[in-house]
Amino acid sequence: PLEVRFQLPQRDAFELRRQLADSAGDMSSITAHLSVPGLAGSAGGELAGRLNFLGSRVDTGTSTVQASATFDNPDGEVLPGQFVRVRLEGLKRFDVMAVPEIAVTQGLMGPRVFVLDDESKARERTVQLGDVAGPWQIILDGLEPGERVVVGDPAGIEPGMEIDPVRFDGDAEQLVDDVEEAEAQEQQEQAEAAAEMSEGAGDAPAEGEEGAQ
């Protein structure tokens, strides 16, 4: 196996330590992904491994904490001293505000979401984005606790539009699947309608053709 040492930002390391404390130090839920520029192989040149160490000291010069992970290294493709990138999957975020990523669109003033006012009318709100955690987008600024955010597909929503709200069940992955399925269905219906119009136009006789000698 290959052992790779890398540096985690201080905040990520603190939250990871909190996550490990909640799971009695079990690191099995954290998957490490290693990629090497130009590495040929399966999964697009990416190796999967496990986190096996998280340091307890912060480097004051870089505000990072040392960590390490182990990877299977078939055929010795990754060499000692080689430059690699490590990405951790399965990290939890604590005490943050997040919305389904699909709820965020790009407005004139930057990233935005729609919130509902007391009359259930959509109001545009510019937000500052943090990290993406799976189907969730962390919001650093622009929203207040308790505000109602439109989490469905924002396509077609305009400021001032009245919306009949339905409580979100919290399953962001299912929400994304539902929206993608609805979009695919709509595209299929549009394609079928266009095909029917094309067939109808082909069957119609040209003007002035009937009775021509």
Side-chain angles (χ1 to χ4, degrees):
L2 177 72
E3 182 176 14
V4 177
R5 297 180 181 179
F6 55 95
Q7 304 296 322
L8 277 178
Q10 177 177 306
R11 178 181 176 183
D12 290 346
F14 286 168
E15 293 193 340
L16 176 55
R17 184 167 296 281
R18 179 176 175 180
Q19 180 177 343
L20 294 176
D22 291 343
S23 61
D26 182 13
M27 295 186 178
S28 61
S29 62
I30 310 298
T31 302
H33 297 272
L34 179 149
S35 60
V36 181
L39 175 64
S42 60
E46 188 173 86
L47 303 179
R50 292 293 179 187
L51 182 73
N52 66 353
F53 172 76
L54 177 63
S56 57
R57 297 184 60 182
V58 176
D59 185 324
T60 57
T62 60
S63 295
T64 59
V65 176
Q66 183 171 303
S68 68
T70 56
F71 302 86
D72 289 333
N73 188 25
D75 304 322
E77 292 177 312
V78 182
L79 303 177
Q82 193 168 5
F83 175 78
V84 299
R85 293 187 178 93
V86 175
R87 173 175 58 87
L88 297 182
E89 184 178 281
L91 296 181
K92 292 182 179 180
R93 297 296 187 187
F94 296 88
D95 304 322
V96 297
M97 188 175 298
V99 299
E101 187 180 10
I102 197 172
V104 181
T105 59
Q106 191 68 23
L108 294 177
M109 302 299 293
R112 67 175 183 178
V113 298
F114 286 100
V115 299
L116 297 184
D117 62 15
D118 294 338
E119 298 178 348
S120 292
K121 292 183 178 180
R123 302 300 179 190
E124 183 178 337
R125 185 71 59 79
T126 301
V127 293
Q128 181 182 352
L129 304 182
D131 295 332
V132 174
W136 294 92
Q137 171 65 64
I138 295 176
I139 304 296
L140 300 179
D141 191 29
L143 291 177
E144 296 294 334
E147 287 190 299
R148 297 183 296 169
V149 178
V150 179
V151 299
D153 185 3
I157 297 179
E158 297 291 341
M161 179 181 294
E162 188 169 347
I163 295 177
D164 184 16
V166 177
R167 182 176 293 275
F168 176 46
D169 63 5
D171 190 343
E173 291 186 2
Q174 185 61 50
L175 175 65
V176 172
D177 290 342
D178 291 344
V179 171
E180 290 179 348
E181 182 178 349
E183 289 178 347
Q185 180 66 28
E186 182 179 358
Q187 291 175 359
Q188 181 178 353
E189 292 175 354
Q190 291 176 350
E192 291 175 352
E196 290 177 359
M197 292 179 61
S198 177
E199 291 176 0
D203 294 339
E207 184 177 353
E209 181 179 348
E210 184 177 354
Q213 299 297 323

